[in-house]
Amino acid sequence: MTQYLDTPLFGVAITIIAYSVSQYINKRFKTSILNPIALSIMAIVGFLIYNNIDYEVYNKGGNIIGFFLGPATVALAVPLYKKIELLKENLLPILVGIFVGSLAGIVSVILLSRVFKLEDILMLSLIPKSTTSAIAMDISTQIGGNSAIAIVFVIVTGIFGNILGPDLLRRFRIKDEIAKGISMGTASHVVGTAKAMEMGEKEGAMSSLAIGVAGLMTVFLAPLVLKVMDLL
């Protein structure tokens, strides 16, 4: 057993197994609460704690999987390319929607942090929660937050968006496919986009677009909003 723990194969294998089993459970019971990503995280953490295995040992393989996050995110441009004409026809409302969503996400974090009296470092780490992990790390560092905490918030945001997003869209009677995709991608990045792709091809394409544009807008909006509100 020890010889396998000292290789990246361990981290890769346990991640693939945990996600495959979690995906099976999700399909078997057909409920969004049993989110494959959330189940995988709990299974891996529980396994490491139960067997007293250090995170660094697991992360030898985890880093390999993390390396593919960038290419996987870029690959989301494929469904967008297939719907490029749709993008051209609705460019202005799409950009306005992403801008408003990104701004609302930042401002709501600041206001709620003040209401619940959160420490500044938590607030600053929460601000880029709706972007991808790589972007969130850079933004949180830039504005004085903690990149490790920011990644945790990014994961939690994505999981909640994946689970609650479709139901919220139904409750607010949002039926437009473009609006659905933009909202999922802007609010809950890649994990939300995975759900958007299940909803439909248009939703997936628009959500893919929203990830990159929302991330770019957040890079500029976060410091600007903090300066305007005299918090930076």
Side-chain angles (χ1 to χ4, degrees):
M1 178 72 174
T2 305
Q3 65 267 30
Y4 294 114
L5 292 179
D6 290 333
T7 68
L9 178 62
F10 168 71
V12 173
I14 191 177
T15 302
I16 294 175
I17 292 172
Y19 186 75
S20 298
V21 173
S22 299
Q23 202 169 36
Y24 171 78
I25 293 173
N26 177 264
K27 291 180 179 179
R28 174 68 176 79
F29 293 97
K30 296 180 180 180
T31 172
S32 58
I33 296 178
L34 297 175
N35 182 271
I37 296 177
L39 290 177
S40 299
I41 292 173
M42 290 187 289
I44 292 173
V45 171
F47 181 84
L48 296 179
I49 293 175
Y50 180 79
N51 292 281
N52 197 28
I53 299 173
D54 290 337
Y55 172 74
E56 288 72 19
V57 173
Y58 162 78
N59 206 37
K60 290 178 182 178
N63 281 329
I64 295 177
I65 295 175
F67 171 79
F68 289 101
L69 287 176
T73 303
V74 174
L76 292 173
V78 174
L80 174 61
Y81 176 75
K82 292 180 179 179
K83 298 292 181 182
I84 192 67
E85 292 303 321
L86 186 65
L87 170 62
K88 292 178 181 179
E89 294 171 3
N90 300 275
L91 183 60
L92 182 58
I94 287 173
L95 292 179
V96 171
I98 297 174
F99 174 81
V100 172
S102 300
L103 182 61
I106 295 171
V107 174
S108 63
V109 165
I110 295 173
L111 295 179
L112 288 172
S113 295
R114 287 292 177 255
V115 170
F116 291 101
K117 299 180 180 180
L118 297 183
E119 295 181 14
D120 285 348
I121 191 168
L122 286 177
M123 178 190 72
L124 297 173
S125 302
L126 262 168
I127 284 176
K129 62 179 174 49
S130 294
T131 63
T132 62
S133 297
I135 297 176
M137 289 176 63
D138 289 338
I139 295 176
S140 60
T141 301
Q142 176 187 357
I143 62 179
N146 183 292
S147 59
I149 297 176
I151 291 178
V152 173
F153 289 138
V154 167
I155 294 171
V156 172
T157 299
I159 292 174
F160 272 91
N162 185 289
I163 295 173
L164 301 177
D167 185 56
L168 288 173
L169 292 172
R170 283 193 296 270
R171 288 180 181 274
F172 284 95
R173 299 179 182 178
I174 298 175
K175 299 179 180 180
D176 185 82
E177 295 161 320
I178 296 176
K180 288 180 180 179
I182 293 300
S183 60
M184 291 294 288
T186 303
S188 48
H189 53 82
V190 178
V191 185
T193 298
K195 177 60 70 174
M197 287 181 170
E198 294 177 12
M199 296 164 65
E201 193 173 2
K202 286 184 181 179
E203 290 90 335
M206 293 301 103
S207 188
S208 301
L209 169 68
I211 294 173
V213 177
L216 183 62
M217 288 183 176
T218 304
V219 169
F220 294 100
L221 282 175
L224 181 61
V225 171
L226 288 170
K227 285 185 179 179
V228 170
M229 300 182 75
D230 197 27
L231 296 171
L232 187 65

